[in-house]
Amino acid sequence: MGGYSLWASFLASLLLMVVFLFGSSQATGIAVYWGQNGNEGSLADTCASGNYQFVNLAFLTTFGAGQTPALNLAGHCEQASGTCTTLSDQIKGCQNQNIKVLLSLGGSVGSYSLASADDAGQVANYLWNNFLGGQSSSRPLGDAILDGIDFDIEKGTGLYWDDLARALAGFSSQKKVYLSAAPQCPFPDGNLSTAIDTGLFDYVWIQFYNNGQCQYADNNAANLLERWSQWTSVQSNQIFLGLPAAPEAAPSGGYIPPDALISQVLPTVKSSSKYAGVMIWNKFFDQGYSAAIKGSV
């Protein structure tokens, strides 16, 4: 009897240790946007590079307010002709390598908005049935089930994105729907702050580029680090430093050379318990950037 109690106590302690090690820590990694240049290589090759833990398929550029939803994946495929279904096996291949693949909504161009909370619910239903765990006869990416939805909302009023997040999160009772947000670095973000405040977003990758007031400039990281400190207060346990992969990726600035990132920026941002990695914009411009930093992320 005493031996059994001792053994049970040992197992309980072991279980607590496992929970502590794997539950309290979080995996760090690199997220990348793919889909905005037909010359960036295939999705399969992107995942096979070993550089990324998350891939955002960019973008669903048309949706909401009664519009027929439409993908824009640049030169990779055409939704209207059904050729984007060829991505299905590549998506599954990425997921088999433990890479999460999300569909990114919005972007800097396109036609998207939400007219009401009911409209948000209709968009959520469309996303669930056409890209996530639901069923539809017209799934643009074939039968692959994406891991979640990314909000890269850069236009409009900021209304009803919280309703969309709640509606999508509601489907997690059937199959987990990961939610990510890509706000601009000025704090708080006018389009996404209300949505992020719901606490439903698993990942928040902040765009520290094309925003002069909070980006790296002239070999100086002070503005970026000051704003990063503000972002650590948001209702998400995993926040990422969003960066351009090359100067050309961010015409309005924010590029940080890999050596400067590793020496001037990462030591400070990694001190936050919410730090979870780096987001890269985008795959086309990533000609060695992620490979140069992944050992330090």
Side-chain angles (χ1 to χ4, degrees):
M1 188 75 173
Y4 173 81
S5 298
L6 190 63
W7 177 244
S9 177
F10 169 77
L11 286 179
S13 299
L14 187 63
L15 180 61
L16 280 173
M17 185 179 297
V18 169
V19 169
F20 176 78
L21 287 174
F22 292 96
S24 64
S25 64
Q26 57 191 28
T28 55
I30 298 176
V32 71
Y33 281 84
W34 177 94
Q36 285 301 288
N37 192 302
N39 296 316
E40 66 194 332
S42 70
L43 179 61
D45 287 344
T46 296
C47 292
S49 71
N51 291 337
Y52 314 111
Q53 284 68 48
F54 306 87
V55 176
N56 294 309
L57 305 182
F59 292 103
L60 187 74
T61 54
T62 303
F63 62 91
Q67 302 177 93
T68 300
L71 281 172
N72 180 346
L73 294 178
H76 291 288
C77 62
E78 292 290 339
Q79 179 177 345
S81 61
T83 55
C84 295
T85 59
T86 59
L87 292 172
S88 185
D89 286 344
Q90 296 183 59
I91 291 167
K92 295 174 187 176
C94 294
Q95 293 168 329
N96 287 338
Q97 298 169 68
N98 294 318
I99 297 168
K100 288 185 172 61
V101 183
L102 297 88
L103 174 66
S104 187
L105 309 180
S108 60
V109 298
S111 175
Y112 59 87
S113 64
L114 296 175
S116 64
D118 181 66
D119 188 30
Q122 293 181 43
V123 170
N125 288 335
Y126 170 81
L127 294 171
W128 171 254
N129 288 319
N130 285 276
F131 296 101
L132 301 168
Q135 294 186 336
S136 168
S137 60
S138 59
R139 291 175 67 95
L141 300 175
D143 62 357
I145 297 173
L146 298 182
D147 295 290
I149 301 295
D150 174 60
F151 288 47
D152 183 14
I153 307 305
E154 302 186 25
K155 301 167 57 178
T157 63
L159 294 175
Y160 310 118
W161 300 110
D162 55 331
D163 295 298
L164 180 59
R166 290 187 190 94
L168 288 168
F171 289 113
S172 285
S173 61
Q174 301 175 61
K175 184 184 188 303
K176 170 64 178 176
V177 177
Y178 289 91
L179 297 179
S180 63
Q184 307 294 307
C185 59
F187 184 86
D189 180 88
N191 292 314
L192 287 169
S193 61
T194 303
I196 293 171
D197 284 347
T198 64
L200 295 172
F201 285 84
D202 300 280
Y203 317 111
V204 176
W205 20 74
I206 305 122
Q207 299 184 44
F208 283 94
Y209 49 93
N210 291 334
N211 286 286
Q213 63 175 279
C214 46
Q215 66 191 21
Y216 183 91
D218 301 322
N219 203 36
N220 190 320
N223 289 344
L224 180 154
L225 294 174
E226 179 182 354
R227 206 53 54 96
W228 170 266
S229 178
Q230 289 182 294
W231 276 104
T232 60
S233 68
V234 299
Q235 298 297 308
S236 176
N237 290 325
Q238 299 193 63
I239 62 175
F240 292 67
L241 184 71
L243 301 172
E248 299 78 17
S252 298
Y255 175 73
I256 310 176
D259 57 342
L261 176 71
I262 293 168
S263 64
Q264 298 180 37
V265 179
L266 287 179
T268 299
V269 300
K270 290 170 72 171
S271 67
S272 168
S273 62
K274 291 186 176 183
Y275 166 82
V278 171
M279 175 271 280
I280 298 294
W281 175 263
N282 61 31
K283 176 57 177 69
F284 174 72
F285 294 103
D286 187 8
Q287 305 295 322
Y289 192 84
S290 60
I293 68 169
K294 68 179 182 180
S296 302
V297 165

